[in-house]
């Protein structure tokens, strides 16, 4: 089989992983086929490297990886290439806002993930990568968004309809994929990016071919070139089978955007 594209950038939660946090055997099988055909398979996740690494090892990946929504790019597993840190003053402001609204929050430092239950108030001495909030109250989430936009200097996305994830401005999965392309000597036009949430949107828009999972948020589906089965129905296997590997090796044109 010949590959139409050179890089497959995969979100993890809600995309590569099913709802039981597992990669199904069929998905593993097709990822191996893609790798055998010369496709670079790259994890592109909001997770920390510590949390993502076991899955990279399960798949036998030795490619660059995008972690913490692009705040880290790894040249290979266990080999850091670039890290973008958050302004400590912004972290303090975001923590104040979390306290004010009395909602669940978490923050990724270089070494650890902290949340409302484990927060010790020590901000200045740590290096921060990402901050997040979670609430099912739509009104509070909207007010939060307004406050965050007023702060400035922030890249605001989500990894579920009920949360907000914040990285330094300009840092996202698309910027991470662009760096990975440079490391591999390929172009964004040769990338297939797959995801389900707003933190995948920039990657889906800017890659050569953007795919939304069947369980993706509506905005993501609207911006994608194709929509496949859900994360519980081997959507990634479908991506590889339909859009990446071809018997003939002829390059297919971009599928028109979903209505």
């Amino acid at each position: 089989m010949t590959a139409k594209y050179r890089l497959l950038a995969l979100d993890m939660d809600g995309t590569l992983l099913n709802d039981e946090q597992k990669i199904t055997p069929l998905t593993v099988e097709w990822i191996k086929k893609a790798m055998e055909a010369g496709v670079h398979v790259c994890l592109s996740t909001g997770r920390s490297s510590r949390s993502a690494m076991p899955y990279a090892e399960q798949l036998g990946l030795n490619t660059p990886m995008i972690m913490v929504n692009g705040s880290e790019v790894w040249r290979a597993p266990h080999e850091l290439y670039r890290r973008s840190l958050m302004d400590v003053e912004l972290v303090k402001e975001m923590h104040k806002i979390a306290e004010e609204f009395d909602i669940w929050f978490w923050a990724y430092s270089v070494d650890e993930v902290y949340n409302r239950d484990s927060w010790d108030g020590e901000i200045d001495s740590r290096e921060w990568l990402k901050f997040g909030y979670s609430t099912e109250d739509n009104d509070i989430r909207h007010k939060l968004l307004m406050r965050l936009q007023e702060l400035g200097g922030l890249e605001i996305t989500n990894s579920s309809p009920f949360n907000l994830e914040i990285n330094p401005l300009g840092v996202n999965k698309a910027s991470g994929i662009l760096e990975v392309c440079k490391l591999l000597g390929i172009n964004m036009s040769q990338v297939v990016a797959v995801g389900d949430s707003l933190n995948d949107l920039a990657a889906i828009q800017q890659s050569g071919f953007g795919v939304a999972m069947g369980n993706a948020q509506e905005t993501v589906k609207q911006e994608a070139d194709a929509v496949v089965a859900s994360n519980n129905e081997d959507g990634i296997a479908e991506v590889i089978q339909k859009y990446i590997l071809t018997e003939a090796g002829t390059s297919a044109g971009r599928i028109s955007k979903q209505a």
Side-chain angles (χ1 to χ4, degrees):
M1 284 188 181
T2 310
K4 294 179 192 174
Y5 295 94
R6 299 289 310 284
L7 175 66
L8 174 59
L10 294 173
D11 169 53
M12 292 180 63
D13 295 280
T15 301
L16 174 65
L17 308 181
N18 64 15
D19 290 350
E20 295 175 352
Q21 306 285 293
K22 289 179 180 167
I23 310 173
T24 64
L26 187 66
T27 293
V28 171
E29 180 188 331
W30 277 95
I31 286 173
K32 300 277 189 196
K33 284 181 181 176
M35 289 163 68
E36 284 162 12
V39 178
H40 300 285
V41 177
C42 164
L43 298 181
S44 174
T45 179
R47 289 182 177 227
S48 67
S49 59
R50 189 184 306 169
S51 170
M53 211 60 78
Y55 297 99
E57 287 166 358
Q58 179 191 347
L59 293 170
L61 303 184
N62 198 30
T63 44
M65 304 190 299
I66 297 139
M67 301 290 149
V68 207
N69 289 342
S71 279
E72 290 182 344
V73 174
W74 293 71
R75 189 188 295 273
H78 310 292
E79 189 186 342
L80 184 67
Y81 174 66
R82 193 266 305 145
R83 182 176 272 150
S84 298
L85 298 176
M86 295 202 80
D87 182 329
V88 168
E89 295 307 313
L90 285 174
V91 175
K92 289 178 182 174
E93 288 299 319
M94 288 188 287
H95 176 252
K96 277 185 200 166
I97 292 169
E99 294 287 297
E100 186 184 320
F101 284 101
D102 191 27
I103 57 171
W104 184 257
F105 70 89
W106 64 93
Y108 282 58
S109 79
V110 165
D111 301 309
E112 195 62 65
V113 181
Y114 300 91
N115 59 40
R116 188 165 76 173
D117 289 343
S118 62
W119 193 257
D120 61 7
E122 188 50 65
I123 299 175
D124 285 308
S125 65
R126 296 187 176 120
E127 295 180 308
W128 300 96
L129 297 167
K130 183 175 79 164
F131 202 95
Y133 304 91
S134 184
T135 174
E136 295 193 11
D137 186 317
N138 294 336
D139 185 46
I140 288 178
R141 203 165 52 254
H142 180 69
K143 286 176 181 171
L144 258 177
L145 184 58
M146 297 298 104
R147 290 285 296 277
L148 293 168
Q149 286 172 341
E150 284 168 16
L151 280 179
L154 303 173
E155 190 88 5
I156 307 166
T157 63
N158 75 23
S159 59
S160 93
F162 304 114
N163 73 26
L164 292 172
E165 296 204 340
I166 300 97
N167 290 74
L169 187 65
V171 172
N172 54 48
K173 292 185 181 184
S175 66
I177 291 171
L178 186 57
E179 287 187 81
V180 167
C181 285
K182 287 174 183 170
L183 286 171
L184 296 174
I186 63 176
N187 299 317
M188 285 293 275
S189 62
Q190 297 173 289
V191 178
V192 175
V194 195
D196 70 308
S197 297
L198 295 188
N199 64 353
D200 301 304
L201 194 56
I204 283 169
Q205 289 168 329
Q206 293 176 41
S207 294
F209 196 77
V211 183
M213 301 297 285
N215 51 288
Q217 294 173 42
E218 203 51 45
T219 306
V220 180
K221 287 182 178 177
Q222 287 169 4
E223 290 295 314
D225 296 300
V227 178
V228 294
S230 77
N231 63 317
N232 290 321
E233 300 164 318
D234 293 298
I236 296 303
E238 185 183 339
V239 172
I240 296 165
Q241 209 168 350
K242 262 192 193 174
Y243 304 111
I244 295 180
L245 297 184
T246 168
E247 300 293 345
T250 55
S251 184
R254 290 171 67 89
I255 289 181
S256 61
K257 299 278 183 193
Q258 298 288 315

